[in-house]
Amino acid sequence: MSNDVMIYASDLSKTFGSFRALDKINFEVKRGEIVGFLGPNGAGKSTTMRILTCFISPTGGTARVNGHDVFDDSLAVRESLGYLPQRAPLYLEMSVLEYLRFAADLRHLDAQTFRKRARSVVEVCGLAQVLGKEIRHLSHGYRQRVGLAQALIHDPPILVLDEPTSDLDPNEKAEFLDYLKQIGKERTVMLSTHNLAEVEASCARAIIISSGRIVADGPLDEIRAKSGRVRYVVSIQESAGDGAYRGRGPLPKKSEVEDALGKVGGVKKLGELPTDDRAHAFEVVSEQEVDLRPEIFRLVADKGWVMLELHRDAQTLEDVFRSLTIGDERRNRRLGPQPEVEDDEDDEDEESDGDRPGAAGGDAAEVAAKDQRS
Amino acid sequence: MRNILIIARRDLRAQFNSPVAYVVIGGTMLLLGLIIFILPHMSVGGVSVGGFWAIDRASMDQMFVCLPPLLSLLVIPAVTMRSLAAEKGSGTLELLITMPVRDSEVIIGKYLAACGVVVVLLAGTLLYPIAMFWGHWGIGWNLGALDWGPVWAGYLGCLFFSLAAVGVGMMLSSLTENDVVAFFMTTGALFLLYAVGLLVSLFQGSWTAVVEFISFESRFQSFARGMIDTRAIVYFLSVATLCLLVSFRSLESRKWS
Ligand SMILES: Nc1ncnc2c1ncn2[C@@H]1O[C@H](COP(=O)(O)OP(=O)(O)OP(=O)(O)O)[C@@H](O)[C@H]1O
Ligand SMILES: [Mg+2]
């Protein structure tokens, strides 16, 4: 059962006038998966979701939801979906309860099922306090909760949520993501977001889309490994202050440390980190395969310096996201036979403005995007 | 069918949850009362209005002279602007349409709701003939026997007229995302459709026939005179149907923009 494809998109394209909002994107989402849909502003996340929910039609390609084609069988598609559009556009003059009842009516829930479901979604979305209030008087976060509640009211097998947590407070956000994880075992959830921590917390898989194209798709670990670099942070004592210096020989100078670290084999990049005057701190970036920690330790010990800190950071998802999507904005999305803009120069900009190293440019983006798990 | 009723009920409730419906209905009643009962008799472009007390006849003709313009210029534009234009503008249409409902059900549901508001208004205006000509109100007073036949014919005319006019309003509302634009487009269109009949004398030859064919006013005239004109009914219903079809297409076209 767990291998059913619930959302299937094949060569999906959408153009607005001469603007290419989606450019042949392909992906599948199976039952029991929670997929984070990531991408910079204007990447085409909402457009994809609107196609999947039959609000707009694709210009090319096919999409199937729960086995039904979004074009030929859109009623069946919409029956199996719960959808929260971006910014939760609700009828402001209705009260929360009225709205939920309206949604349930259109989903043809009977009164008893409605009561049961309403109780559960009201609890999950934390709406008990505001049930009788008109939506126009609610704060944005609460409106979003109502939007979530209406998407969940009929307990749909597939949930498509466009930035469902953007206005929620941290408590509600955590609770909601927990709930998603819990119901997500049997259902299919596709949620778009800009918050990468959230993806790490709730999704096992991410699809990263940029300028209308998928640049990465797969389990988070795999995506994280994609940029293929690791960062180490090293700090060496610079002055002992009032206490006794425990090292051998004189206190090291910054240039000394920098030179020595630079000579360690496998170091790709070395940068200074800001510290007080008690320590020299550096970050060292290397390829992923080699572990530099033994080398660094040996070096420091041999020199007789005092090591205050040595740790290794895996690439954060954020780094990967940046490396996959930065520079892509300038990609030409006009239709017609204009030449593609070369991406090379973009890499330069980004290395100098990026405060985190390891954000490699276009090459990472080319380590493309197939779901390799199957 | 069920979806149509759910949507219509919600829309109707929304209309009456906002002050717009009350202001429009109240305003129309007030204007109607003013024109019928307070205004001295006068003649505007060959149409005589006012002078209810001066005519010295038990007749509600005046009401059916005033109702269609008021409906066209105020009530129907204000009601239909909210049906689709406002929903498109605020984005709520996206949530509605991604529910398992057909586009046609959305259009028809909203159309019925808009017609509902007009029916409520028409029912409200019944107060005037009732107050003037029926019962004794404990003071042993009324204006005497009214021939109710023409009144019912007039109301029937207003109803079919409204069905067509609401259709026009829905259509224009479906073409824009801005409710103010929808309001003025509807006002303009209905004004033209109505007023062109008043100008019929300005047209020559075969144009007269064309104008009389299109004009809501010419079609409405026989009702105002107490006759039930089936050809007019067919015409009004055809206009409504056509407009709803266009609205449906226009709603569908969002998919291809
Ligand atoms: N109806 C439309 N007409 C013209 N262009 C559109 C339309 N809808 C979307 N676009 C364009 O398509 C692109 C993708 O938009 P989309 O809303 O899918 O982005 P997104 O990934 O959801 O961005 P965000 O993170 O800001 O929500 C944008 O550049 C947008 O300008
Ligand atoms: Mg979006």
Side-chain angles (χ1 to χ4, degrees):
Chain A
M1 270 309 254
S2 69
N3 262 2
D4 309 348
V5 175
M6 298 301 272
I7 303 179
Y8 168 85
S10 157
D11 279 345
L12 214 54
S13 304
K14 177 75 188 175
T15 52
F16 293 109
S18 64
F19 179 80
R20 200 185 280 130
L22 287 181
D23 191 5
K24 297 200 171 163
I25 65 170
N26 292 283
F27 63 88
E28 282 178 8
V29 185
K30 302 201 172 85
R31 190 196 301 272
E33 270 190 310
I34 303 184
V35 173
F37 204 43
L38 299 173
N41 292 130
K45 302 182 295 295
S46 300
T47 305
T48 310
M49 291 183 158
R50 284 174 161 177
I51 292 174
L52 293 176
T53 54
C54 311
F55 185 63
I56 57 179
S57 291
T59 333
T62 48
R64 277 203 295 277
V65 173
N66 203 8
H68 306 287
D69 189 277
V70 291
F71 188 74
D72 297 327
D73 210 356
S74 90
L75 222 47
V77 168
R78 286 177 284 168
E79 260 158 24
S80 44
L81 275 175
Y83 174 45
L84 171 67
Q86 196 163 9
R87 283 179 291 117
L90 306 166
Y91 291 117
L92 299 182
E93 74 283 344
M94 294 175 96
S95 79
V96 174
L97 189 61
E98 275 172 352
Y99 196 95
L100 293 182
R101 185 163 288 143
F102 171 65
D105 280 349
L106 283 181
R107 303 283 187 185
H108 298 180
L109 297 190
D110 59 52
Q112 199 190 342
T113 324
F114 171 70
R115 262 197 303 279
K116 209 174 82 218
R117 289 296 307 156
R119 202 169 300 138
S120 127
V121 299
V122 162
E123 192 195 330
V124 170
C125 302
L127 288 172
Q129 307 298 317
V130 298
L131 270 182
K133 270 197 173 181
E134 271 184 41
I135 294 175
R136 92 172 83 229
H137 298 310
L138 296 183
S139 69
H140 269 284
Y142 270 100
R143 288 184 194 183
Q144 199 155 34
R145 294 179 190 203
V146 179
L148 287 169
Q150 66 78 31
L152 297 170
I153 190 84
H154 54 301
D155 201 12
I158 302 170
L159 279 167
V160 175
L161 308 172
D162 201 348
E163 301 192 18
T165 53
S166 59
D167 281 330
L168 299 183
D169 64 58
N171 299 338
E172 178 56 27
K173 195 180 280 188
E175 190 175 326
F176 174 68
L177 291 175
D178 272 352
Y179 177 74
L180 271 193
K181 257 199 277 194
Q182 185 192 318
I183 64 165
K185 289 185 192 108
E186 275 304 305
R187 264 153 275 258
T188 304
V189 182
M190 184 164 180
L191 67 101
S192 79
T193 174
H194 292 290
N195 187 336
L196 297 147
E198 211 166 88
V199 177
E200 309 230 51
S202 59
C203 313
R205 174 176 161 208
I207 297 175
I208 302 183
I209 174 173
S210 175
S211 298
R213 284 203 287 206
I214 291 184
V215 292
D217 177 357
L220 286 182
D221 305 335
E222 220 170 84
I223 290 183
R224 218 182 271 120
K226 209 151 259 174
S227 81
R229 302 201 178 179
V230 187
R231 178 178 103 123
Y232 303 83
V233 173
V234 190
S235 30
I236 310 289
Q237 197 170 28
E238 178 182 359
S239 103
D242 299 335
Y245 180 57
R246 311 277 304 190
R248 260 188 295 118
L251 285 152
K253 290 199 189 54
K254 194 176 88 184
S255 56
E256 252 180 281
V257 179
E258 192 166 2
D259 285 347
L261 282 174
K263 287 196 189 102
V264 174
V267 174
K268 283 271 168 195
K269 201 169 150 226
L270 185 66
E272 198 190 345
L273 294 172
T275 49
D276 55 17
D277 57 3
R278 288 163 171 263
H280 302 297
F282 289 92
E283 62 178 5
V284 178
V285 176
S286 79
E287 295 298 342
Q288 197 162 36
E289 302 86 64
V290 281
D291 189 350
L292 287 188
R293 284 175 301 180
E295 295 298 318
I296 294 172
F297 173 77
R298 198 65 267 155
L299 170 80
V300 174
D302 288 349
K303 295 276 189 188
W305 300 335
V306 177
M307 183 178 308
L308 298 178
E309 182 183 17
L310 169 60
H311 67 86
R312 181 169 71 158
D313 278 346
Q315 276 264 298
T316 62
L317 197 57
E318 209 155 317
D319 294 323
V320 183
F321 178 83
R322 282 167 54 84
S323 70
L324 288 173
T325 57
I326 265 184
D328 232 17
E329 261 147 51
R330 289 190 229 163
R331 234 194 69 218
N332 174 29
R333 288 168 90 180
R334 296 269 134 224
L335 294 177
Q338 289 145 311
E340 289 266 315
V341 179
E342 262 300 320
D343 273 349
D344 284 350
E345 62 189 281
D346 297 352
D347 297 355
E348 302 298 320
D349 304 350
E350 159 224 320
E351 299 243 333
S352 51
D353 73 16
D355 43 359
R356 284 166 181 276
D363 56 340
E366 274 144 36
V367 186
K370 276 280 145 237
D371 184 359
Q372 291 153 350
R373 294 157 320 131
S374 43
Chain B
M1 193 58 209
R2 190 168 151 199
N3 288 340
I4 294 178
L5 291 182
I6 294 166
I7 292 171
R9 197 175 58 202
R10 195 218 73 84
D11 254 43
L12 200 58
R13 211 180 277 171
Q15 295 276 9
F16 284 103
N17 262 347
S18 89
V20 178
Y22 296 103
V23 170
V24 164
I25 290 180
T28 310
M29 294 284 288
L30 197 69
L31 274 174
L32 199 62
L34 279 178
I35 295 173
I36 299 178
F37 300 115
I38 310 287
L39 218 61
H41 180 85
M42 59 166 112
S43 183
V44 183
V47 184
S48 73
V49 294
F52 178 79
W53 311 103
I55 294 175
D56 214 19
R57 252 189 307 130
S59 152
M60 288 305 297
D61 293 355
Q62 287 303 309
M63 198 158 79
F64 299 111
V65 174
C66 303
L67 256 180
L70 281 175
L71 285 171
S72 310
L73 298 183
L74 185 63
V75 182
I76 290 171
V79 170
T80 53
M81 74 177 183
R82 296 175 29 115
S83 330
L84 283 164
E87 278 218 32
K88 276 205 221 168
S90 66
T92 48
L93 196 65
E94 181 170 354
L95 248 179
L96 178 58
I97 278 186
T98 50
M99 299 269 186
V101 294
R102 293 187 177 83
D103 287 3
S104 53
E105 293 172 331
V106 172
I107 296 285
I108 297 174
K110 288 182 166 296
Y111 175 75
L112 290 181
C115 291
V117 179
V118 177
V119 168
V120 169
L121 170 73
L122 288 179
T125 61
L126 261 175
L127 278 177
Y128 288 135
I130 288 176
M132 291 295 131
F133 298 105
W134 188 77
H136 294 277
W137 308 109
I139 52 170
W141 176 90
N142 71 26
L143 286 182
L146 173 69
D147 181 3
W148 281 89
V151 175
W152 293 130
Y155 272 113
L156 202 66
C158 282
L159 184 67
F160 283 107
F161 169 86
S162 304
L163 291 183
V166 170
V168 172
M170 284 282 296
M171 175 176 79
L172 295 172
S173 182
S174 77
L175 297 177
T176 166
E177 298 193 351
N178 185 313
D179 46 0
V180 180
V181 172
F183 180 92
F184 284 107
M185 287 206 307
T186 309
T187 312
L190 291 178
F191 177 75
L192 280 179
L193 278 172
Y194 195 74
V196 76
L198 297 174
L199 305 175
V200 75
S201 51
L202 299 182
F203 292 90
Q204 305 289 316
S206 58
W207 281 108
T208 322
V210 174
V211 167
E212 281 191 329
F213 183 82
I214 304 175
S215 162
F216 281 20
E217 198 266 348
S218 316
R219 299 281 176 182
F220 184 72
Q221 272 315 308
S222 43
F223 290 101
R225 286 198 298 267
M227 285 179 291
I228 293 171
D229 178 354
T230 37
R231 278 192 310 177
I233 292 181
V234 170
Y235 172 74
F236 284 140
L237 290 180
S238 318
V239 170
T241 313
L242 187 73
C243 289
L244 290 189
L245 283 176
V246 174
S247 319
F248 172 69
R249 286 282 164 226
S250 138
L251 186 61
E252 239 186 359
S253 75
R254 73 175 186 281
K255 291 192 159 186
W256 312 111
S257 71

